[in-house]
Amino acid sequence: MSGSPIDPDNGKASELSALLKRRGFFFPSYEIYGGVAGFFDMGPMGSLLKDNIIKKWKDRFVIEEGFLLVDCPSIAPEVVFRHSGHLDKFSDMLTRCTDCSEPFRADHLLDDIIENADSLSEDELFTALKENDVKCPNCGGSLGPLEEFNLMFKTYIGTGSDRPAFLRPETAQSIFLDFPLLYRTNREKIPFGVAQIGKGFRNEISPRQGLLRQREFHMAEGEFFFDPEADGFPAFDTYRDLKVNLVANTDPDNSIRKELSSAVSEGMICSEVLGYFMGVTHSFAREIGIPEDRMRFREHLDTEMAHYARDCWDLEVLTSYGWIEMVGIADRSAYDLEQHTKGSGQEMTAMRRYPEPIQKEVTTISVNMKVLGPIFRGAAKEVNDAVSLLDPAAVKELLETGEPVKVVISQGEVEVPPGSLSIATEEKRVAGERFTPHVVEPSFGIDRLMVAVIEHAYFEAEKSPLREEASDGEGPYRVMRLLPSISPVKCGVFPLMNKDGLPELAIPIEKDLRKCGLITYYDHSGSIGRRYARMDEIGTPFNVTIDYESKDDGCVTIRERDTGIQKRVPISRIVNVISDLVSEKIIFDDLDQPVIS
RNA sequence: GCAGGCGUAGUCUAGCUGGCUAUGACAAGGGCCUUCCAAGCCUUUAACUCGGGUUCAAAUCCCGGCGCCUGCACCA
């Protein structure tokens, strides 16, 4: 059995991609109309496989880690992305050379000339390009007008075009918007995580590399909200000693292997929380079948960090396209919650409770609106709001010394009549203080993980496991060694011959397995070896064969995919045995001795 | 998006200096045979990427669209 990995050059990648299409894993969408780059359909096998990976993710994050699962719309009004920063940062102004028609990012052309070129408006960029007489770096030609390019798909809500909206480029934003509600749902306990699985949409300029860069793709994201001032993170102990491959941005050319705990204590990884989710991610990747030596964590360089991120580590897996990002684990700090607070006025904080409520002397100002109202009329509320922002102690002093109390409102500076203000000082019990939680976000690209899982499960051999010698002219024997829990089909059911009463025994067995929730494949066509081969190609871990002996002894054989070994099991136990094998409660070796091997 | 290359059944492919009913293999469906690892026989299904042009005649030559590959650019 050839275990060597898939490389871009060894031909296996194209063998595999042919298999994936032939067997119904995935294929380009809208093909009969010529296809559209960046969109793929999941076929019957791909849908099941993807679903199983999602199931595993849910088991891990929602069940084991206790994340709160939500499911929000894919379309959000423009205002959401204005405040999240995606509208600005996701939009680039392009200019095109009028001679050679090469496109360039306008702000990049100005990088060496002015600072913060990326923060300029469209008009400012255009003026700056003109004033500095910037030419095409490619051919020296003059540059054309600016065009906007936004990576988000734009649409409109309702009739007309006055309510612009976008398809979400990540699922995260809805979770941030829902934070106050989720915090209450979680009975105001922090830390806690929120999970969402759904589609993300990015209008990539030129999507290539198949499922690895799609315009519509499946993501599974977790947002873990925590108090940045809390001491340590006890859960980190689970992964403290886990050794992982790390590529730090201080030394981007070298991968080093070390425990997560030392990476955190040396400051390579910025917090225990981030380290913890790197551990969770690593363990999840192992669980769906990605080998240890084919993965590494790479820290983002400062220049590639997303606008919201303070630190970010990607889980990369070595695929036929090289090292590819599968999961991004970003420390988003308080960025998003603060942005949406600014944008909406909605408070997005949590309570940091003191161990014991403390007694605190609190000075408050109260405003007598009966006095203020008639004086300021419409502006009275604004004055009130301005006063409440003043430092009570300072106001107290002003009042005592007889100085005027002044505030600035939209009409300009006004004096607040002393008679409208009263200062009170009282002892108060304070239970805690409010803070904006920080967020660590593990964001999984489900389709990419599926590709990685498939590539690492794919093996080519000379011949099927138990054949004496290789048959010629058929190409390699292909096996997808998927873990039983994620393989799309769990069990093949074959009557050895399509006659003599064998189908009559086989059909009820398949029915029972399906009733138990196991996806099966009934096949009576061709030789038995051909049927095993078909199942091996799609990664079916077990096959049940009904032979002539079955009629006498009431037993059937179960064949294990990777070894070809078969064991006899009574028909009455078959559903339980297959079910336990698939859920990995037992392994094949736990069964009785083989009859054919 | 630019430049170059490519596009023939489900897959791989022959034909492509224009010319008869478009080659072959594998896969797939039906049947025969077959008592456990892609056997064999019979049979069936099935394609020139799309649009336009040149020509008596286009898979073949030309133009354009779409897609794929490679490089450049892009990748929050």
Side-chain angles (χ1 to χ4, degrees), chain A residues 3-79:
Chain A
S4 68
I6 289 181
D7 293 321
D9 311 318
N10 68 4
K12 282 189 182 180
S14 61
E15 277 285 343
L16 174 58
S17 70
L19 185 157
L20 292 173
K21 191 172 183 187
R22 177 157 43 91
R23 292 298 184 200
F25 280 83
F26 52 84
F27 34 81
S29 302
Y30 316 117
E31 239 190 336
I32 67 160
Y33 286 111
V36 184
F39 294 97
F40 286 86
D41 291 357
M42 285 295 137
M45 291 305 130
S47 301
L48 290 170
L49 176 57
K50 186 161 156 184
D51 209 34
N52 289 337
I53 293 174
I54 290 173
K55 249 183 238 160
K56 280 262 182 188
W57 192 89
K58 251 193 232 173
D59 284 350
R60 175 50 81 117
F61 279 85
V62 179
I63 298 179
E64 217 170 303
E65 298 292 328
F67 276 46
L68 310 174
L69 186 65
V70 299
D71 185 24
C72 310
S74 300
I75 295 176
E78 184 182 47
V79 63

Side-chain angles (χ1 to χ4, degrees), chain A residues 489 509-522 575:
Chain A
V489 174
I509 292 176
E510 199 218 0
K511 219 173 185 180
D512 287 349
L513 287 165
R514 288 221 164 225
K515 252 187 204 158
C516 189
L518 296 161
I519 303 274
T520 55
Y521 195 87
Y522 183 88
V575 171

Side-chain angles (χ1 to χ4, degrees), chain A residues 148-396:
Chain A
E148 188 180 29
F149 183 81
N150 196 306
L151 236 39
M152 290 191 293
F153 286 99
K154 189 172 191 173
T155 185
Y156 298 94
I157 297 171
T159 55
S161 58
D162 55 334
R163 295 182 71 197
F166 292 92
L167 270 67
R168 61 185 179 192
E170 55 172 13
T171 65
Q173 289 309 318
S174 294
I175 296 180
F176 299 131
L177 304 184
D178 287 346
F179 173 79
L181 208 64
L182 292 165
Y183 177 55
R184 288 184 62 89
T185 305
N186 200 45
R187 295 176 49 228
E188 305 196 4
K189 290 186 208 305
I190 197 159
F192 69 101
V194 181
Q196 177 164 211
I197 300 160
K199 290 285 189 75
F201 306 83
R202 296 177 192 184
N203 199 1
E204 298 283 354
I205 297 173
S206 76
R208 280 178 201 176
Q209 307 183 324
L211 289 192
L212 296 185
R213 208 152 132 229
Q214 295 176 86
R215 288 185 162 129
E216 174 175 346
F217 52 97
H218 235 116
M219 26 194 356
E221 294 190 303
E223 308 296 331
F224 186 76
F225 298 97
F226 64 100
D227 180 352
E229 285 175 28
D231 301 328
F233 186 57
F236 182 57
D237 285 347
T238 319
Y239 298 111
R240 183 168 289 280
D241 299 326
L242 180 69
K243 277 196 171 181
V244 294
N245 303 318
L246 298 169
V247 181
N249 64 13
T250 48
D251 183 13
D253 299 318
N254 290 301
S255 166
I256 53 169
R257 193 165 169 77
K258 64 166 67 194
E259 288 98 1
L260 282 172
S261 56
S262 25
V264 171
S265 58
E266 288 163 23
M268 230 169 118
I269 297 170
C270 77
S271 70
E272 291 196 352
V273 176
L274 194 64
Y276 175 75
F277 285 104
M278 287 168 71
V280 173
T281 299
H282 185 274
S283 131
F284 173 76
R286 291 302 310 279
E287 212 174 275
I288 57 174
I290 295 171
E292 163 72 36
D293 61 335
R294 312 295 281 184
M295 48 170 144
R296 68 181 189 193
F297 287 100
R298 193 180 65 83
E299 188 176 24
H300 276 205
L301 302 173
D302 292 340
T303 49
E304 67 180 319
M305 207 88 77
H307 62 271
Y308 49 71
R310 196 177 64 165
D311 192 11
C312 185
W313 286 83
D314 285 345
L315 175 77
E316 296 186 332
V317 176
L318 192 54
T319 68
S320 59
Y321 292 96
W323 286 100
I324 297 290
E325 172 194 353
M326 299 282 148
V327 184
I329 307 159
D331 182 338
R332 298 178 77 130
S333 69
Y335 178 85
D336 300 275
L337 294 181
E338 281 172 354
Q339 285 301 109
H340 288 303
T341 297
K342 274 188 224 160
S344 66
Q346 165 81 50
E347 196 187 12
M348 300 240 176
T349 56
M351 176 75 113
R352 181 183 296 131
R353 290 186 182 274
Y354 301 135
E356 290 286 324
I358 54 172
Q359 295 290 326
K360 212 172 178 182
E361 195 170 88
V362 181
T363 306
T364 52
I365 318 173
S366 48
V367 178
N368 187 344
M369 289 304 276
K370 257 189 194 157
V371 181
L372 262 192
I375 300 174
F376 292 98
R377 305 211 164 239
K381 186 177 184 305
E382 212 183 330
V383 173
N384 187 13
D385 290 347
V387 168
S388 66
L389 292 174
L390 296 173
D391 173 21
V395 175
K396 189 176 178 190

